[in-house]
Amino acid sequence: MTTATGTAVTVPAGITGAGVRDWARRAGALSPVLAVVALLLVPGGGGGAQGGTGGSGTVADAASGLLVLICLVRVVRSGARPLSRAAAVVFGLPVFGVCLAAITSHDPGASLPGVARYLQIFVLVPAAVLLTIRDRRDFAVVAWALVGLALLEGGVGVVQYLTGTGASYQGEDIRAVGTFGATDVMGMATVVSYGLVVATGLALGGRAGRARTAALVCAGLLFLPLVLSFSRGAWIATVLTCGIQLALSGLRRAGRVALAAAALGVVLVGGFGIGGEMVKERVGSITQVTAAPDQSVTDRYTMWAAAGRMWSGEPLTGVGLKGFPAYRDSHASLALSSGSDTAGAGAGFARQPLLSPHNMYLLVLSEQGLIGLLALAGGWVALLVAALRRLRLGPDCALVAAGLLSWQLVDFFYADIGGPSTVLMSVVFGLAAWWSLAEVRRA
């Protein structure tokens, strides 16, 4: 085995036979990656308010920098070619797009923090994760770490709902946000969604046994905190992604699991009244885009339109990294509010400014133009296609990788980067990139 993606990696047929000692040894080798995941439990410092390309400056971000540094030292000491040609292209194109947008920006100095953030999230940390993972058992350790983080954050979120200590939602402090706080209401929803998608992939693709049963139980447990997050974007992305995973695992199984999931939802929401009318109202608001939409929907569509106008003015390279806030008011209509209200989860009332369009594709298009969007999104699509092509080599890893990529690509229609949870996205891309780009064959 080797960490270089340019060489073949012989792997075992399953990922469930590792003993306690083997997992402990692997966890030690993977500790730089696992530290990034674990440190997300440390409450952030209001990074959610940054929006867009703003950095959160959390301990998890610092750990991601240490991960990159450790990986760089390992590569230099080994003297081996770190990346295959395909991996070099996938990670190299975003570097070109981001740097071009910064150079052509009307304010290159102001764009520099955006360059650092984009390279951290989409290039450096994913590449470091890719090079750190050696085989499918390493893949499993990181995947289960995501599930573990999701269970812990989801548990905190459920307690917040039950005790009325969550973020403010419709005048009550009941929104489950975990340790991310009221300024990053999407943080817990994102983490829980990752965990649910990973658990679903492991359950559908793994062999019958305790690990598969554990994955099914974890997926069921994570359903509740996802509902209590009241995050429409996370709901949509998770439902579509799990549907894709089910379809890839077999249509007959997909039907049975869909019925079981529907029954679970009826019992939790209908039978026990968890979420009750608020969940129904939140679900119904998804379709209210023209008839009496709430202010958050109005703001979102107004910012989407503003991003489109920015792009039409600079179609190839955009207005420059971190340029959306500066150009927002001159391109947005009067329907846009001054910001969104945040409160609860240990924080007082605050007005959070709207600094991004809450759509990753439109954010990149407006700030980096068509060149930047093709460079970034082209790499994401390439990773997804490669993961799907390897479905027969290992359905467990393939369903996890394809599921995480699918969820992220769908969620990007409703969210962008920003906040303490963003660094976990880079780990997810790196995990999926290992399966998509490493030369894997059955033992």
Side-chain angles (χ1 to χ4, degrees):
M1 299 177 190
T2 177
T3 58
T5 59
T7 57
V9 180
T10 302
V11 297
I15 64 174
T16 63
V20 175
R21 291 183 180 179
D22 181 57
W23 275 68
R25 176 178 58 82
R26 291 176 182 277
L30 293 168
S31 57
V33 178
L34 300 180
V36 178
V37 177
L39 288 174
L40 279 164
L41 290 169
V42 179
Q50 297 299 321
T53 54
S56 56
T58 65
V59 290
D61 283 296
S64 73
L66 184 60
L67 165 63
V68 173
L69 180 60
I70 292 173
C71 185
L72 179 61
V73 171
R74 289 177 178 176
V75 169
V76 172
R77 292 181 62 182
S78 68
R81 185 180 69 179
L83 298 173
S84 66
R85 290 183 179 179
V89 170
V90 169
F91 291 122
L93 283 177
V95 177
F96 170 75
V98 168
C99 291
L100 179 63
I103 293 172
T104 58
S105 171
H106 296 291
D107 189 355
S111 297
L112 289 180
V115 173
R117 188 62 164 166
Y118 271 98
L119 294 185
Q120 174 203 6
I121 301 302
F122 298 115
V123 180
L124 297 177
V125 176
V129 174
L130 165 66
L131 295 172
T132 303
I133 296 176
R134 298 161 298 178
D135 54 33
R136 286 173 66 190
R137 289 186 176 178
D138 280 0
F139 183 100
V141 172
V142 179
W144 277 106
L146 294 178
V147 176
L149 174 66
L151 289 171
L152 291 172
E153 286 288 352
V156 174
V158 172
V159 171
Q160 289 173 332
Y161 173 82
L162 295 176
T163 59
T165 56
S168 177
Y169 179 74
Q170 293 188 357
E172 299 182 57
D173 293 344
I174 59 171
R175 186 169 190 175
V177 292
T179 62
F180 296 100
T183 58
D184 188 16
V185 293
M186 280 294 295
M188 190 213 72
T190 299
V191 171
V192 169
S193 297
Y194 285 154
L196 200 155
V197 168
V198 169
T200 301
L202 293 174
L204 294 175
R207 295 180 177 180
R210 287 178 295 178
R212 183 177 180 182
T213 301
L216 282 171
V217 171
C218 291
L221 291 174
L222 291 172
F223 177 83
L224 179 58
L226 179 62
V227 171
L228 298 180
S229 71
F230 296 104
S231 174
R232 293 170 293 197
W235 291 349
I236 294 171
T238 303
V239 169
L240 291 178
T241 298
C242 290
I244 293 172
Q245 289 176 307
L246 286 169
L248 291 173
S249 66
L251 295 180
R252 183 175 298 179
R253 175 187 288 179
R256 294 197 301 266
V257 176
L259 289 175
L264 178 63
V266 170
V267 171
L268 288 177
V269 179
F272 291 105
I274 298 176
E277 293 298 323
M278 290 185 177
V279 172
K280 296 178 183 178
E281 181 179 330
R282 192 68 166 170
V283 172
S285 69
I286 294 175
T287 60
Q288 294 176 351
V289 295
T290 56
D294 59 38
Q295 186 58 48
S296 65
V297 174
T298 300
D299 286 340
R300 181 159 303 190
Y301 280 88
T302 302
M303 290 189 294
W304 286 7
R309 296 187 187 98
M310 293 180 201
W311 171 68
S312 64
E314 300 284 350
L316 291 180
T317 57
V319 298
L321 292 176
K322 295 184 69 65
F324 183 88
Y327 288 84
R328 181 198 61 187
D329 292 342
S330 60
H331 290 80
S333 69
L334 295 178
L336 182 66
S337 67
S338 60
S340 59
D341 297 337
T342 62
F349 175 84
R351 191 73 172 165
Q352 186 172 346
L354 303 174
L355 303 179
S356 71
H358 296 294
N359 180 307
M360 190 64 194
Y361 304 108
L362 289 176
L363 175 64
V364 175
L365 195 63
S366 63
E367 293 189 343
Q368 302 181 44
L370 188 60
I371 295 176
L373 180 63
L374 292 176
L376 267 175
W380 302 334
V381 173
L383 290 178
L384 177 58
V385 171
L388 292 174
R389 292 180 62 183
R390 297 182 173 195
L391 183 61
R392 293 185 178 180
L393 292 180
D396 43 12
C397 294
L399 289 176
V400 169
L404 289 172
L405 289 169
S406 298
W407 188 92
Q408 197 62 70
L409 292 179
V410 174
D411 186 67
F412 273 162
F413 283 102
Y414 308 95
D416 48 46
I417 61 175
S421 60
T422 301
V423 70
L424 189 63
M425 183 192 305
S426 62
V427 175
V428 164
F429 273 118
L431 185 66
W434 179 84
W435 178 251
S436 298
L437 298 175
E439 296 181 17
V440 180
R441 64 172 182 267
R442 285 191 183 274

